Amino acid sequence: MGENTIRKAVFPAAGLGTRFLPATKAQPKEMLPLVDKPLIQYVVEETLASGIEQIIIVTGRGKNAIEDHFDISYELEHLLQERGKLKELEEIRRISELTQFAYVRQKKALGLGHAVLVARDWVDDEPFAVLLGDDIIDADVPCLRQMIEVFERYRAPVVGVMPIDGPEISRFGVIRAEPVESDVYRISDMVEKPRPEEAPSNLAIIGRYILTPDIFVELERTQPDIRGEIQLTDAMRALARQRPFYGYRFKGRRYDCGDKLGFLQATVEFALKHADISQDFRRYLKNLQLEE
Ligand code: G1P
């Protein structure tokens, strides 16, 4: 593999986590643990496994725990060393050595589109990825890696999509598109959170994007919606009318970890695969006498 065409990834992480209150009152939702790792670490690991090493996290007030998590913790390392807990020490060190992060503040909650705009100077004039931490994707080939391959074939922006049937579609950006090859769609239009009867298809945008720098021009022009938020989908929609723009149906399973049910499903599935506890946890689940 030569040098990656995509070198930078933006992580919008300034959201207030209102779907998860009160757990997120005093801690970032990105730090909620799936078994034993915070959500954001899974997404960082997906990014690195996809060949991207430069990550900028768009944070807000109350998000310091994210920076601390990826930093060195001398006190903890010292303590673990002293107590001979070498396995834990190694893991703690590994996290602080994952990669070099940049941080920028989104001072006001003005939406996902605005969060991406805040990273503009850092991204500069090259294509880049955006990953939303609520979406945890379990896949043999990392979802972002799959998307980079599509980007390299078409040299145009790509959003990750998956089919969602029923009224749930209203919780997503939704694309209007024609298939161009297996799992790849050319997008002609898209709409943010449509009413179910107005959804242009059943293909929902999930939190993985590969964008080109022309998105920034559109983001600057995009008007806030009725909630005062600048939507990324609205800016992408304007761009899709001017240039080729693709949707890619990724291979893998997505969990909505910003939602209580999705988070619990992911917890159970990841626990069943976790080397330390899978056997005991499986036994526990089997013995549950669930009433209707
Ligand atoms: C955001 C996007 C939406 C996308 C979704 C994927 O919405 O605005 O287009 O479908 O993420 O998870 P949010 O879930 O932040 O409301």
Side-chain angles (χ1 to χ4, degrees):
M1 193 167 67
E3 192 177 325
N4 220 340
T5 44
I6 309 291
R7 305 187 308 144
K8 297 180 176 180
V10 177
F11 282 39
L16 298 174
T18 46
R19 285 194 287 166
F20 238 120
L21 283 168
T24 49
K25 185 181 172 197
Q27 69 168 337
K29 65 174 173 175
E30 292 78 9
M31 292 303 293
L32 295 174
L34 255 190
V35 188
D36 56 3
K37 282 196 290 193
L39 291 173
I40 194 166
Q41 192 179 330
Y42 288 90
V43 188
V44 166
E45 286 172 354
E46 178 188 330
T47 305
L48 298 175
S50 301
I52 298 180
E53 286 178 2
Q54 298 184 48
I55 296 176
I56 190 167
I57 303 185
V58 182
T59 65
R61 280 178 294 283
K63 300 280 186 169
N64 296 348
I66 298 177
E67 282 187 57
D68 291 343
H69 182 71
F70 293 109
D71 197 358
I72 295 173
S73 174
Y74 289 110
E75 202 180 336
L76 183 60
E77 286 187 19
H78 182 74
L79 211 83
L80 292 172
Q81 181 95 53
E82 232 176 42
R83 299 197 177 159
K85 294 196 177 275
L86 299 183
K87 192 172 156 228
E88 288 83 355
L89 176 62
E90 197 186 312
E91 177 63 10
I92 292 301
R93 283 217 174 112
R94 188 183 72 82
I95 296 169
S96 67
E97 287 164 0
L98 280 173
T99 193
Q100 187 64 44
F101 294 87
Y103 296 91
V104 60
R105 284 263 186 155
Q106 182 185 18
K107 291 178 201 151
K108 290 184 181 168
L110 295 178
L112 177 58
H114 179 257
V116 174
L117 198 49
V118 165
R120 181 182 196 163
D121 285 345
W122 180 85
V123 168
D124 205 13
D125 197 23
E126 57 182 289
F128 63 104
V130 176
L131 296 98
L132 306 188
D134 285 351
D135 288 326
I136 299 295
I137 299 172
D138 191 20
D140 292 339
V141 177
C143 177
L144 190 61
R145 182 69 237 161
Q146 298 175 40
M147 290 175 58
I148 291 172
E149 277 159 25
V150 178
F151 173 83
E152 288 176 347
R153 277 210 300 287
Y154 291 88
R155 296 283 159 173
V158 184
V159 293
V161 297
M162 67 183 277
I164 300 277
D165 294 309
E168 290 276 282
I169 193 78
S170 306
R171 289 171 43 188
F172 298 87
V174 183
I175 63 170
R176 180 190 304 283
E178 294 293 325
V180 289
E181 62 167 294
S182 163
D183 297 329
V184 181
Y185 301 82
R186 167 108 187 226
I187 299 175
S188 55
D189 198 7
M190 61 182 95
V191 48
E192 178 70 5
K193 305 199 171 89
R195 279 203 285 266
E197 63 279 13
E198 283 164 9
S201 74
N202 70 342
L203 291 173
I205 301 172
I206 51 91
R208 298 290 183 276
Y209 310 78
I210 293 180
L211 299 170
T212 44
D214 46 2
I215 193 68
F216 293 120
V217 180
E218 292 308 329
L219 280 170
E220 279 200 319
R221 281 194 204 134
T222 302
Q223 294 301 313
D225 64 8
I226 41 167
R227 290 166 61 209
E229 294 189 352
I230 295 175
Q231 293 302 337
L232 180 58
T233 305
D234 290 342
M236 295 195 300
R237 172 186 218 177
L239 208 54
R241 290 177 176 167
Q242 301 162 39
R243 53 126 65 237
F245 205 116
Y246 294 91
Y248 170 66
R249 184 174 167 176
F250 61 94
K251 294 175 187 68
R253 171 129 195 233
R254 171 227 182 225
Y255 298 92
D256 179 3
C257 288
D259 173 79
K260 286 170 198 148
L261 184 60
F263 181 84
L264 287 171
Q265 288 166 342
T267 300
V268 171
E269 303 271 352
F270 280 70
L272 284 171
K273 286 195 208 172
H274 192 288
D276 295 351
I277 58 165
S278 74
Q279 276 193 346
D280 289 345
F281 189 55
R282 186 175 303 273
R283 202 169 308 128
Y284 164 75
L285 287 179
K286 275 190 164 167
N287 288 335
L288 276 183
Q289 307 284 325
L290 293 179
E291 285 166 24
E292 271 304 309

